[in-house]
Amino acid sequence: MGCTIGIDLGTTNSCMAISEGGNAVVIQTGEGPRVMPSVVAFTPAGDRLVGIVAKRQAITNPKDTVTSIKRLMGRKYEELEKETFNVSYDIIPNDKGDAVVRISDGRTFTPQEISSMILQKMKYRAEEFLGEEVTDVVVTVPAHFNEIQRKATKAACTIAGLNVKRVLNEPTAAALAFTDAVERRKIAVFDFGGGTFDISILQVVNGIFEVKATTGNTQLGGDDFDARLVDWIMNEFKRSKGIDLSDDPVAPQRVREAAERAKCELSTALETSINLPFIASSDIGPVHLEMSITRGLFEGLVRDLVESTKPLCEQVMEDAGLTHDDLETVVLVGGSTRIPLVRKLVEETFHQEPVHSVNPDEVVAMGAAIAGSVVSGQRKDLVLLDVTSLTLGVETLGGIMAPIIEKNSPLPIKRSKMFTTAVDNQQVVGIHVLQGERTLAEENRSLARFELVGISPAPRGVPRIEVSFSIDANGILFVNAKDAVTGKHQEMKVNPSGGLSDEDIRRLIQDARQNRETDRDRIKLIEVRNIADQSIYEASKLLNSSRDRLDADSTGELEAALQELRTARDGSSIDAVEGAMKEISMVMHTVRNILNMVDSMEEEDSSGGIATLDVSEE
């Protein structure tokens, strides 16, 4: 049986790891960093780019570069209308009302499809790293993700050719990576990433990791900090220069990238500068954006967002039945926890200095890898006990939600409640499954609707209808409604895809399989082109610096090899590019040898050809 990898599918960056000998090892992305930007881009030439190469061309191709897709997972378009998204691409509703991405050529993609492209790239990298096929995965999600969002994430993995062994809450994964199995601890995991915030309380006793309570905000993260800073920069530029950058197709993306860099720099510096030359033009010529941003200014812009996490932290402590003195450790997870203001709030809230000895960008993937070793049977010393993040129930008479499984209930779980009819001789009962904490049904998230048919005619209030909810270890919900008199029952697995039908998923899986080899070839071609660009740069530099010292034949040979590489680089043949790079490498080696000989001859000529001793005759 193959290995099970752990994947942290993040809003800003994604990371993957494998458990070897009980220890988690981060799998390199193959592009330098240990994390991969969660970015997908579509080029005018028809190429699909993922990761760093996609992020690099965001400025020149903003409408076709998709970022922060995690914030759209399993969500309806109408839910997003009150939110601010720091993105350049179009978000529209499809015919089901789900939020989808539209690129400039009119094509639309669901968040699951975009996420599957990121996962495919990670799967490919993992197989390169391990030297074997990878099929099984433990994937993490924010603890406060609802059922639809969890199933949308699982559907994305399925489309990418990955078999999900477990859907694990991110704070639980972080605790797994941080805490030794033999330790006895009560831990708070403060998880503040690029697009989501979670706070969870866990108790670890003799290898049993039990989540006591969890809560959070799936629409709060580092993206919101960036958006605040972008708005301030653009407003300040408009005030000082009289130019509105929001009307420009490229300028806002340049400002977004500069704002993200400034945010990161202000975590270690008290002040940073933003310099964007030729950001706009006016009657007098080009206009540049130049301004300084202090940490105090940035903290003022985002303070309310940071402080909005404090009530959630206090709530989760109350839900867990603990006080600040009961906690041994507070662990920081997610890139946004590098911000000094965030760390200060955590320290003030929990009355202790948080732990940041683990890399917040990697710890979740490492924990997922450890969970993978548990579900695959490699480790027997750990037990994972997670909880539901939100209350689950059904709509009753008057539009009231009747809870069946309360939030923070341990998983797996099965609960039932008895209901009756509201109308005489009612033979059909509609079951409306809801998730949320509000009393009114319409204020909670609708998960599914179905009907129980065949109830025995009887006066209202007489029939006994048992509604059962069961949730497995992955947080997947099953609903069953049964008439106690007739035995008639109806069971369903709540929408497993977050908007995609089973047929949609099968079609996307088939498309992904058909395109898998093509995608790998494209990735390889892009990588080879990047190497070729470096060779072209070095060869051009060598040619320009040595043209006056080379004979016509050597110069012509290098120019010909350079032109051949440029032509191959613009083509679609990997073999042609590699062959041209090999050829130019040999030519450059020969040219450098010739230059070394020329340099030696010039040194000899400058000394007169014969060395003399500076001595005087006695």
Side-chain angles (χ1 to χ4, degrees):
M1 183 177 65
C3 60
T4 300
I5 65 171
I7 290 183
D8 171 19
L9 184 61
T11 305
T12 307
N13 295 298
S14 295
C15 186
M16 54 186 168
I18 185 72
S19 180
E20 294 181 347
N23 297 315
V25 177
V26 174
I27 299 174
Q28 299 285 347
T29 64
E31 299 171 331
R34 290 157 65 91
V35 297
M36 186 181 79
S38 302
V39 183
V40 176
F42 303 88
T43 70
D47 290 330
R48 187 176 76 198
L49 311 178
V50 180
I52 290 178
V53 290
K55 187 175 182 179
R56 283 175 185 159
Q57 57 97 70
I59 290 178
T60 58
N61 190 22
K63 284 290 186 181
D64 293 332
T65 303
V66 183
T67 59
S68 301
I69 194 63
K70 185 174 179 176
R71 298 189 76 162
L72 303 184
M73 289 291 278
R75 302 187 67 194
K76 295 292 185 181
Y77 179 78
E78 62 182 16
E79 298 175 34
L80 312 178
E81 293 179 331
K82 295 181 180 180
E83 295 181 33
T84 300
F85 280 83
N86 189 33
V87 298
S88 298
Y89 55 88
D90 293 330
I91 303 171
I92 63 170
N94 64 7
D95 55 0
K96 301 175 184 176
D98 301 318
V100 298
V101 171
R102 180 177 63 192
I103 61 175
S104 59
D105 65 5
R107 285 184 294 166
T108 60
F109 298 90
T110 65
Q112 296 93 311
E113 289 177 87
I114 296 294
S115 296
S116 73
M117 296 170 191
I118 298 168
L119 290 162
Q120 281 178 339
K121 176 75 173 283
M122 299 184 80
K123 180 178 187 291
Y124 168 62
R125 290 302 187 197
E127 289 172 342
E128 273 193 332
F129 180 85
L130 298 170
E132 60 179 282
E133 184 179 9
V134 171
T135 56
D136 294 340
V137 65
V138 170
V139 66
T140 62
V141 295
H144 218 54
F145 254 24
N146 62 37
E147 298 300 309
I148 298 297
Q149 291 170 305
R150 291 171 186 272
K151 294 171 185 79
T153 303
K154 189 173 181 181
C157 292
T158 303
I159 294 168
L162 293 166
N163 174 39
V164 178
K165 304 295 288 186
R166 181 158 186 174
V167 179
L168 186 66
N169 285 345
E170 290 165 3
T172 307
L176 275 174
F178 174 79
T179 307
D180 191 278
V182 299
E183 291 183 302
R184 184 185 183 94
R185 288 189 177 188
K186 292 184 179 71
I187 306 171
V189 180
F190 187 95
D191 186 352
F192 208 165
T196 59
F197 167 70
D198 284 319
I199 176 68
S200 296
I201 306 296
L202 298 95
Q203 180 170 285
V204 184
V205 179
N206 297 327
I208 299 176
F209 287 72
E210 180 182 4
V211 180
K212 306 298 289 185
T214 189
T215 190
N217 185 345
T218 56
Q219 283 83 56
L220 175 64
D223 281 358
D224 300 289
F225 297 169
D226 296 346
R228 290 283 179 91
L229 195 50
V230 166
D231 287 344
W232 183 87
I233 293 169
M234 294 178 71
N235 288 334
E236 183 66 14
F237 186 80
K238 184 177 181 180
R239 183 193 64 79
S240 61
K241 304 294 185 182
I243 299 174
D244 187 355
L245 294 178
S246 61
D247 297 331
D248 188 283
V250 174
Q253 182 59 35
R254 293 182 65 189
V255 174
R256 288 186 190 97
E257 291 204 352
E260 184 181 0
R261 286 195 301 271
K263 176 189 69 175
C264 296
E265 290 167 3
L266 289 171
S267 292
T268 55
L270 294 177
E271 185 176 6
T272 187
S273 297
I274 292 182
N275 295 285
L276 298 175
F278 305 100
I279 192 72
S281 60
S282 67
D283 295 339
I284 60 174
V287 181
H288 312 305
L289 191 158
E290 299 174 327
M291 60 179 66
S292 295
I293 299 175
T294 64
R295 182 184 292 178
L297 170 63
F298 172 68
E299 290 181 348
L301 293 173
V302 303
R303 187 176 300 277
D304 63 311
L305 297 177
V306 175
E307 290 181 347
S308 70
T309 65
K310 188 170 183 177
L312 296 173
C313 294
E314 294 170 346
Q315 176 190 327
V316 81
M317 292 291 293
E318 182 180 342
D319 292 344
L322 300 176
T323 66
H324 303 105
D325 295 336
D326 296 325
L327 287 177
E328 282 94 352
T329 309
V330 180
V331 180
L332 298 181
V333 180
S336 296
T337 60
R338 291 189 172 94
I339 297 172
L341 182 63
V342 173
R343 293 190 174 185
K344 181 180 178 182
L345 177 133
V346 173
E347 186 170 351
E348 291 174 350
T349 302
F350 292 101
H351 303 167
Q352 61 177 283
E353 185 178 355
V355 173
H356 41 78
S357 57
V358 288
N359 188 326
D361 295 323
E362 299 175 359
V363 64
V364 171
M366 294 170 68
I370 294 172
S373 67
V374 174
V375 297
S376 64
Q378 296 175 19
R379 290 193 66 168
K380 311 286 188 183
D381 59 331
L382 298 178
V383 178
L384 311 180
L385 301 176
D386 227 324
V387 297
T388 57
S389 58
L390 295 165
T391 298
L392 291 156
V394 295
E395 182 177 357
T396 59
L397 185 65
I400 303 300
M401 172 172 162
I404 294 180
I405 296 181
E406 301 284 352
K407 72 172 183 176
N408 292 322
S409 298
L411 298 178
I413 188 172
K414 181 176 182 179
R415 293 273 173 84
S416 301
K417 267 192 178 181
M418 290 298 244
F419 297 89
T420 188
T421 55
V423 179
D424 290 339
N425 300 317
Q426 187 174 341
Q427 294 182 278
V428 178
V429 172
I431 308 294
H432 184 194
V433 183
L434 301 166
Q435 185 172 40
E437 307 305 318
R438 306 294 292 273
T439 302
L440 293 177
E442 64 181 16
E443 295 176 344
N444 294 300
R445 179 66 191 262
S446 174
L447 299 183
R449 294 176 184 266
F450 65 97
E451 293 182 337
L452 175 61
V453 181
I455 301 171
S456 294
R460 66 178 183 174
V462 173
R464 309 295 289 171
I465 300 165
E466 181 182 35
V467 178
S468 300
F469 282 12
S470 62
I471 308 177
D472 63 17
N474 293 319
I476 307 302
L477 172 64
F478 297 84
V479 180
N480 183 288
K482 181 180 179 181
D483 180 1
V485 175
T486 65
K488 295 276 188 180
H489 71 93
Q490 179 71 36
E491 183 176 40
M492 73 173 298
K493 177 180 174 183
V494 174
N495 188 355
S497 57
L500 295 179
S501 66
D502 290 341
E503 181 58 35
D504 289 334
I505 293 178
R506 282 193 291 269
R507 174 181 56 79
L508 292 171
I509 291 172
Q510 185 62 32
D511 289 344
R513 285 175 179 167
Q514 291 175 350
N515 294 324
R516 193 163 296 156
E517 290 304 317
T518 302
D519 289 343
R520 290 193 177 195
D521 288 343
R522 283 182 176 176
I523 292 171
K524 179 66 175 176
L525 179 59
I526 291 167
E527 291 171 345
V528 169
R529 282 174 173 172
N530 286 337
I531 298 171
D533 284 338
Q534 184 62 32
S535 296
I536 290 170
Y537 171 78
E538 292 176 356
S540 300
K541 185 178 179 180
L542 178 62
L543 181 62
N544 293 332
S545 64
S546 59
R547 190 183 296 272
D548 58 345
R549 294 189 292 153
L550 290 174
D551 59 78
D553 289 343
S554 298
T555 301
E557 190 175 1
L558 182 54
E559 287 177 335
L562 187 57
Q563 183 56 45
E564 182 181 351
L565 179 55
R566 283 175 173 148
T567 302
R569 187 253 177 249
D570 293 335
S572 58
S573 170
I574 295 173
D575 291 340
V577 179
E578 290 178 336
M581 284 195 297
K582 184 177 180 180
E583 175 64 24
I584 203 168
S585 177
M586 291 188 295
V587 173
M588 289 171 67
H589 179 72
T590 301
V591 167
R592 287 191 177 107
N593 285 339
I594 293 172
L595 291 173
N596 287 335
M597 291 174 60
V598 170
D599 290 341
S600 298
M601 292 173 63
E602 289 176 349
E603 288 177 7
E604 185 174 319
D605 289 342
S606 66
S607 64
I610 300 175
T612 59
L613 296 177
D614 184 15
V615 297
S616 59
E617 188 176 7
E618 293 183 357

